[in-house]
Amino acid sequence: MGPLLPNDIIPFEWSSIIAIVIGIFFGFILESSGFSSSRKLAGVFYGYDFAVLKVFFTAALVSLIGLLYMDYLGYVDMSSLYVHPTYLWAAIIGGAIMGIGFVAGGFCPGTSLCAVAIGKIDAIVYVIGIMVGVFIFSELYSVFEPIYTGYFYGNITLVDSLGINPYWFVFLFTIAAVIIFVLVDMIRKRVKKVFY
Amino acid sequence: MINRKLVKFLSFRYVILALLFIILAGGLVLLPKFEKQEGIKPEQLLSNIISPERYITTDELADRIINQDPSLLLIDLRDEETFKKYSLPNAINMPLKNLFDEDSSAFLNQDAYDVVFFSNDNFDADQAWILCNRLDYKNLYVLKGGINRWFKTIINPPHPKENMPLEAFKLYATRKAASMYFGVAYPDQVKTNVPKRPRPTPKKVITVKKKKKAPEGGC
């Protein structure tokens, strides 16, 4: 049956509208769970709040387990889902830069826009910084291009590159996630309480 | 009024959620394995099987071979022995049981050529067509009637009877011409260089006029 859009169960023209509706809900839930606060987001690096780690880890696992069940039952064909292409070094360098920005600024790109929406000044400055970064990147694109388009590995997933049964992988990943959650909670209890 | 039991239960809420998570993920591992449906959907396959669009007639095929159609790929599904005895020109031998060997998928799974399957009849070819169609291979055709029909129509076309319409005669002429392309010889078309027998030159009869004998004086 699914995915709905590629199989024309929902006409392609609806895709932008659906994206906007999902985006509104995503932003609303981010904001209402406190992710528009840079103190809460930065807490994951200082060890006083691991909400970000737990939320995104859980979200990934819920969707992964749900998709695998739906694939098994024939509601979604996982092979026709979009897999983001891997440009190895571009991803490593970009990830490192984003991590530094995350620690320094206290937002990730999505939550920064969410915080702009409720009028946070630090987030507005952060988004201006993103725009400056985008501008520099575009101007120097010819310099970055070999890294940006090089080291291309195709649309691979961890399951493909490790050659492991996806079900076992998800099971082990879930156990690892639960262990990480417990460890992270232990760290949080040891770190001095920060009120924010 | 605080429901104490509920409070006690909710204090374990993260543990319960974590357990639920592990159980769901473990369920994936324990799911019974089953062969996944490969290729196109059964309904699609059924409607494709019913459709006669896959058939290509011997006349059509002969026409394309004679016009040296570069997009034609003939695949002979009979065994090697019969293939060696006779096959269509430029055909590739790929016995039905070897259809899905590693090196054959390059011929079948492509969309540059029109693949035409044939065997002695069209039954083996139909089977091959269904198997490949299920895998969603493109541009597959079946020679209707196979080699047997090829012989009956192209190689050895039946002579139309006198009371048949003109079309039958035209078709016969086309098929006859096609069969000659494939190397059939007809006695009425055979041009043999019979050495011209030198016309017997009429013997010149030299009639020697007998001189009239002068009357001889008798004695």
Side-chain angles (χ1 to χ4, degrees), chain B residues 79-99:
Chain B
D79 52 9
E80 213 175 327
E81 210 171 302
T82 39
F83 173 75
K84 275 179 185 164
K85 276 181 192 159
Y86 178 81
S87 190
L88 299 183
N90 296 329
I92 298 166
N93 186 219
M94 204 180 277
L96 188 58
K97 60 177 193 291
N98 302 352
L99 193 65

mmCIF file of all heavy atoms in Angstrom, chain B residues 79-99:
data_model
loop_
_atom_site.group_PDB
_atom_site.id
_atom_site.type_symbol
_atom_site.label_atom_id
_atom_site.label_comp_id
_atom_site.label_asym_id
_atom_site.label_seq_id
_atom_site.Cartn_x
_atom_site.Cartn_y
_atom_site.Cartn_z
ATOM 1 N N ASP B 79 16.668 -26.802 -25.589
ATOM 2 C CA ASP B 79 17.977 -27.233 -25.090
ATOM 3 C C ASP B 79 19.038 -27.070 -26.175
ATOM 4 O O ASP B 79 18.734 -26.785 -27.333
ATOM 5 C CB ASP B 79 17.925 -28.661 -24.538
ATOM 6 C CG ASP B 79 17.323 -29.619 -25.534
ATOM 7 O OD1 ASP B 79 17.109 -29.197 -26.680
ATOM 8 O OD2 ASP B 79 17.077 -30.774 -25.173
ATOM 9 N N GLU B 80 20.276 -27.260 -25.746
ATOM 10 C CA GLU B 80 21.385 -26.908 -26.613
ATOM 11 C C GLU B 80 21.412 -27.748 -27.885
ATOM 12 O O GLU B 80 21.767 -27.263 -28.965
ATOM 13 C CB GLU B 80 22.682 -27.096 -25.827
ATOM 14 C CG GLU B 80 23.746 -26.109 -26.229
ATOM 15 C CD GLU B 80 24.971 -26.245 -25.352
ATOM 16 O OE1 GLU B 80 24.805 -26.574 -24.165
ATOM 17 O OE2 GLU B 80 26.075 -26.045 -25.869
ATOM 18 N N GLU B 81 21.006 -29.007 -27.722
ATOM 19 C CA GLU B 81 21.096 -29.927 -28.846
ATOM 20 C C GLU B 81 20.201 -29.471 -29.995
ATOM 21 O O GLU B 81 20.633 -29.347 -31.144
ATOM 22 C CB GLU B 81 20.654 -31.307 -28.362
ATOM 23 C CG GLU B 81 21.320 -32.454 -29.085
ATOM 24 C CD GLU B 81 20.972 -33.742 -28.381
ATOM 25 O OE1 GLU B 81 21.271 -33.877 -27.168
ATOM 26 O OE2 GLU B 81 20.367 -34.593 -29.054
ATOM 27 N N THR B 82 18.945 -29.179 -29.643
ATOM 28 C CA THR B 82 18.012 -28.738 -30.686
ATOM 29 C C THR B 82 18.408 -27.366 -31.211
ATOM 30 O O THR B 82 18.184 -27.065 -32.380
ATOM 31 C CB THR B 82 16.577 -28.699 -30.152
ATOM 32 O OG1 THR B 82 16.604 -28.210 -28.828
ATOM 33 C CG2 THR B 82 15.936 -30.044 -30.191
ATOM 34 N N PHE B 83 18.990 -26.571 -30.340
ATOM 35 C CA PHE B 83 19.428 -25.246 -30.782
ATOM 36 C C PHE B 83 20.476 -25.375 -31.874
ATOM 37 O O PHE B 83 20.477 -24.629 -32.857
ATOM 38 C CB PHE B 83 19.989 -24.476 -29.587
ATOM 39 C CG PHE B 83 20.620 -23.164 -29.936
ATOM 40 C CD1 PHE B 83 19.839 -22.068 -30.269
ATOM 41 C CD2 PHE B 83 22.003 -23.009 -29.923
ATOM 42 C CE1 PHE B 83 20.417 -20.852 -30.587
ATOM 43 C CE2 PHE B 83 22.583 -21.802 -30.242
ATOM 44 C CZ PHE B 83 21.788 -20.726 -30.564
ATOM 45 N N LYS B 84 21.365 -26.365 -31.684
ATOM 46 C CA LYS B 84 22.435 -26.523 -32.670
ATOM 47 C C LYS B 84 21.892 -27.010 -34.000
ATOM 48 O O LYS B 84 22.433 -26.695 -35.052
ATOM 49 C CB LYS B 84 23.483 -27.495 -32.141
ATOM 50 C CG LYS B 84 24.498 -26.791 -31.250
ATOM 51 C CD LYS B 84 25.506 -27.751 -30.703
ATOM 52 C CE LYS B 84 26.427 -27.046 -29.736
ATOM 53 N NZ LYS B 84 27.164 -28.005 -28.895
ATOM 54 N N LYS B 85 20.806 -27.813 -33.920
ATOM 55 C CA LYS B 85 20.242 -28.331 -35.162
ATOM 56 C C LYS B 85 19.659 -27.212 -36.004
ATOM 57 O O LYS B 85 19.898 -27.111 -37.194
ATOM 58 C CB LYS B 85 19.157 -29.358 -34.847
ATOM 59 C CG LYS B 85 19.736 -30.734 -34.603
ATOM 60 C CD LYS B 85 18.624 -31.709 -34.329
ATOM 61 C CE LYS B 85 19.176 -33.024 -33.790
ATOM 62 N NZ LYS B 85 18.139 -33.759 -33.088
ATOM 63 N N TYR B 86 18.814 -26.415 -35.373
ATOM 64 C CA TYR B 86 18.231 -25.304 -36.118
ATOM 65 C C TYR B 86 17.788 -24.231 -35.145
ATOM 66 O O TYR B 86 17.246 -24.525 -34.084
ATOM 67 C CB TYR B 86 17.018 -25.755 -36.940
ATOM 68 C CG TYR B 86 16.378 -24.597 -37.666
ATOM 69 C CD1 TYR B 86 16.903 -24.130 -38.855
ATOM 70 C CD2 TYR B 86 15.289 -23.934 -37.110
ATOM 71 C CE1 TYR B 86 16.361 -23.037 -39.495
ATOM 72 C CE2 TYR B 86 14.738 -22.836 -37.746
ATOM 73 C CZ TYR B 86 15.277 -22.388 -38.943
ATOM 74 O OH TYR B 86 14.749 -21.302 -39.572
ATOM 75 N N SER B 87 17.990 -22.995 -35.481
ATOM 76 C CA SER B 87 17.431 -21.906 -34.695
ATOM 77 C C SER B 87 17.270 -20.698 -35.601
ATOM 78 O O SER B 87 17.706 -20.719 -36.756
ATOM 79 C CB SER B 87 18.338 -21.573 -33.518
ATOM 80 O OG SER B 87 17.663 -20.682 -32.664
ATOM 81 N N LEU B 88 16.648 -19.680 -35.092
ATOM 82 C CA LEU B 88 16.497 -18.464 -35.886
ATOM 83 C C LEU B 88 17.839 -17.757 -35.968
ATOM 84 O O LEU B 88 18.696 -17.940 -35.102
ATOM 85 C CB LEU B 88 15.458 -17.544 -35.244
ATOM 86 C CG LEU B 88 14.066 -18.138 -35.126
ATOM 87 C CD1 LEU B 88 13.108 -17.120 -34.553
ATOM 88 C CD2 LEU B 88 13.566 -18.604 -36.481
ATOM 89 N N PRO B 89 18.049 -16.964 -37.008
ATOM 90 C CA PRO B 89 19.352 -16.303 -37.148
ATOM 91 C C PRO B 89 19.641 -15.380 -35.963
ATOM 92 O O PRO B 89 18.763 -14.644 -35.519
ATOM 93 C CB PRO B 89 19.207 -15.511 -38.451
ATOM 94 C CG PRO B 89 17.759 -15.497 -38.765
ATOM 95 C CD PRO B 89 17.171 -16.712 -38.158
ATOM 96 N N ASN B 90 20.853 -15.423 -35.468
ATOM 97 C CA ASN B 90 21.343 -14.572 -34.368
ATOM 98 C C ASN B 90 20.643 -14.811 -33.041
ATOM 99 O O ASN B 90 20.658 -13.953 -32.163
ATOM 100 C CB ASN B 90 21.223 -13.085 -34.705
ATOM 101 C CG ASN B 90 22.097 -12.712 -35.863
ATOM 102 O OD1 ASN B 90 23.154 -13.318 -36.056
ATOM 103 N ND2 ASN B 90 21.666 -11.762 -36.653
ATOM 104 N N ALA B 91 19.990 -15.960 -32.885
ATOM 105 C CA ALA B 91 19.308 -16.235 -31.619
ATOM 106 C C ALA B 91 20.324 -16.635 -30.560
ATOM 107 O O ALA B 91 21.407 -17.137 -30.867
ATOM 108 C CB ALA B 91 18.298 -17.350 -31.794
ATOM 109 N N ILE B 92 19.971 -16.381 -29.306
ATOM 110 C CA ILE B 92 20.820 -16.759 -28.178
ATOM 111 C C ILE B 92 20.172 -17.959 -27.509
ATOM 112 O O ILE B 92 18.969 -17.949 -27.248
ATOM 113 C CB ILE B 92 20.933 -15.607 -27.172
ATOM 114 C CG1 ILE B 92 21.593 -14.407 -27.819
ATOM 115 C CG2 ILE B 92 21.715 -16.042 -25.942
ATOM 116 C CD1 ILE B 92 21.431 -13.149 -27.024
ATOM 117 N N ASN B 93 20.967 -18.986 -27.241
ATOM 118 C CA ASN B 93 20.411 -20.168 -26.591
ATOM 119 C C ASN B 93 20.417 -19.959 -25.079
ATOM 120 O O ASN B 93 21.441 -19.640 -24.474
ATOM 121 C CB ASN B 93 21.225 -21.396 -26.976
ATOM 122 C CG ASN B 93 20.594 -22.663 -26.435
ATOM 123 O OD1 ASN B 93 21.262 -23.564 -25.992
ATOM 124 N ND2 ASN B 93 19.274 -22.712 -26.458
ATOM 125 N N MET B 94 19.217 -20.119 -24.477
ATOM 126 C CA MET B 94 19.090 -19.935 -23.034
ATOM 127 C C MET B 94 18.006 -20.908 -22.564
ATOM 128 O O MET B 94 16.851 -20.532 -22.460
ATOM 129 C CB MET B 94 18.672 -18.491 -22.767
ATOM 130 C CG MET B 94 19.034 -17.962 -21.422
ATOM 131 S SD MET B 94 18.464 -16.267 -21.308
ATOM 132 C CE MET B 94 19.788 -15.397 -22.112
ATOM 133 N N PRO B 95 18.378 -22.184 -22.335
ATOM 134 C CA PRO B 95 17.348 -23.170 -21.960
ATOM 135 C C PRO B 95 16.535 -22.692 -20.760
ATOM 136 O O PRO B 95 17.060 -22.010 -19.883
ATOM 137 C CB PRO B 95 18.167 -24.406 -21.609
ATOM 138 C CG PRO B 95 19.426 -24.247 -22.358
ATOM 139 C CD PRO B 95 19.695 -22.785 -22.416
ATOM 140 N N LEU B 96 15.255 -23.078 -20.760
ATOM 141 C CA LEU B 96 14.317 -22.549 -19.764
ATOM 142 C C LEU B 96 14.821 -22.734 -18.340
ATOM 143 O O LEU B 96 14.671 -21.852 -17.494
ATOM 144 C CB LEU B 96 12.958 -23.226 -19.938
ATOM 145 C CG LEU B 96 11.813 -22.671 -19.113
ATOM 146 C CD1 LEU B 96 11.600 -21.209 -19.408
ATOM 147 C CD2 LEU B 96 10.536 -23.437 -19.376
ATOM 148 N N LYS B 97 15.474 -23.882 -18.075
ATOM 149 C CA LYS B 97 15.924 -24.116 -16.696
ATOM 150 C C LYS B 97 17.119 -23.253 -16.323
ATOM 151 O O LYS B 97 17.387 -23.054 -15.141
ATOM 152 C CB LYS B 97 16.228 -25.594 -16.472
ATOM 153 C CG LYS B 97 17.304 -26.175 -17.372
ATOM 154 C CD LYS B 97 17.526 -27.612 -16.960
ATOM 155 C CE LYS B 97 18.776 -28.235 -17.553
ATOM 156 N NZ LYS B 97 18.753 -28.466 -18.987
ATOM 157 N N ASN B 98 17.802 -22.700 -17.328
ATOM 158 C CA ASN B 98 18.939 -21.807 -17.036
ATOM 159 C C ASN B 98 18.556 -20.350 -17.149
ATOM 160 O O ASN B 98 19.416 -19.480 -17.234
ATOM 161 C CB ASN B 98 20.095 -22.060 -18.015
ATOM 162 C CG ASN B 98 20.562 -23.479 -17.980
ATOM 163 O OD1 ASN B 98 20.133 -24.244 -17.120
ATOM 164 N ND2 ASN B 98 21.421 -23.846 -18.896
ATOM 165 N N LEU B 99 17.236 -20.098 -17.167
ATOM 166 C CA LEU B 99 16.775 -18.745 -17.488
ATOM 167 C C LEU B 99 17.316 -17.702 -16.516
ATOM 168 O O LEU B 99 17.611 -16.587 -16.900
ATOM 169 C CB LEU B 99 15.249 -18.720 -17.477
ATOM 170 C CG LEU B 99 14.615 -17.481 -18.077
ATOM 171 C CD1 LEU B 99 14.911 -17.383 -19.544
ATOM 172 C CD2 LEU B 99 13.115 -17.491 -17.858
#
